[in-house]
Amino acid sequence: MDILALPDVFLRQLMRTVEIRDRLALRLTCRSFEKLVADSNAGYFEHAFISSWIPDKFTMLLGDTAFYGIEWSDAGMGRRLELRQRLFSRIAIGEFDFNIDDDPKALEFIRKFIEKFNIGVLGFRVETEHQLENARMLMTDFPKSKYTMDLCFLSNKKTLLSLPPMEELSIFSMIEIPSSLCIKLVGIHKNLDLGDIQITSEDFKSAVQIISSDSRPRKIRMKTKRKYVVSCLREYGISASTKTGDICKQVSA
């Protein structure tokens, strides 16, 4: 049976179920299959990533297939862009994670590579201001997607407050996060993981009020020094002598 004799609509639907590694092999069988692979939608894959684990090189995962040791060079990136054009016309990714270095060529390549992707969630690991700006630019390319970010430093207040609302924002920094900034971030992002924050009882009350007024399920995690916790507890009448069942000052939402 000549599979290529089947109706075009059937072939294109069938191609949505073919794994990336099988598309790589299938396109090498004949020109007809090469064209079918290039012109068809690759379907849906749960996960993909581009990551710079090795200096001057990156690794890319698409569905079931990983590409290792790709150089951040015109030749290395050019071959991947050409291969992408030959593998599918469109593709849907549930979550696409990015962990890239500061190479100026990286952003240009990634924007071209994922130009016709449908991405549910863009996830970023960011270690420098330059990487943060690159992440912001990628988010503008996908305004209908959701975003997550692991921020490994404390950027300036203006930059942080200009980030679009995220499904989850984590900030890992040795510098204490001011309480005023923390409260604003609670009002913007759905889920937060903040380390080393300054907080007072009033700040805590404001955060509770913001969260209570939101009907969405949310997860807010804040790390702070013991002195701030003790101060908040004392403000609400909780001390070392407080016992289970004692009535203390309540936080009104």
Side-chain angles (χ1 to χ4, degrees), residues 157 161 176-188 194 197-200 202-204 206 210:
K157 182 177 180 180
L161 295 180
E176 284 189 345
I177 303 173
S179 59
S180 59
L181 174 58
C182 174
I183 298 305
K184 285 183 170 62
L185 293 176
V186 170
I188 297 173
L194 303 177
I197 68 168
Q198 302 171 7
I199 192 165
T200 66
E202 285 302 312
D203 299 328
F204 178 71
S206 297
I210 293 171

Side-chain angles (χ1 to χ4, degrees), residues 148-183:
T148 67
M149 181 178 292
D150 290 340
L151 189 58
C152 301
F153 68 99
L154 184 61
S155 186
N156 64 77
K157 182 177 180 180
K158 181 178 180 181
T159 299
L160 287 174
L161 295 180
S162 67
L163 293 174
M166 298 193 187
E167 281 294 293
E168 185 166 354
L169 173 63
S170 300
I171 301 179
F172 309 102
S173 171
M174 299 299 292
I175 303 173
E176 284 189 345
I177 303 173
S179 59
S180 59
L181 174 58
C182 174
I183 298 305

Side-chain angles (χ1 to χ4, degrees), residues 5-42:
L6 294 170
D8 183 70
V9 64
F10 178 84
L11 288 174
R12 292 186 180 278
Q13 189 64 31
L14 179 64
M15 291 303 296
R16 286 175 174 263
T17 67
V18 178
E19 298 285 357
I20 296 297
R21 68 178 61 186
D22 293 328
R23 297 179 79 91
L24 285 166
L26 192 60
R27 62 173 294 274
L28 298 176
T29 57
C30 68
R31 289 185 178 180
S32 295
F33 271 118
E34 181 182 22
K35 186 177 187 306
L36 176 62
V37 169
D39 294 344
S40 60
N41 191 317

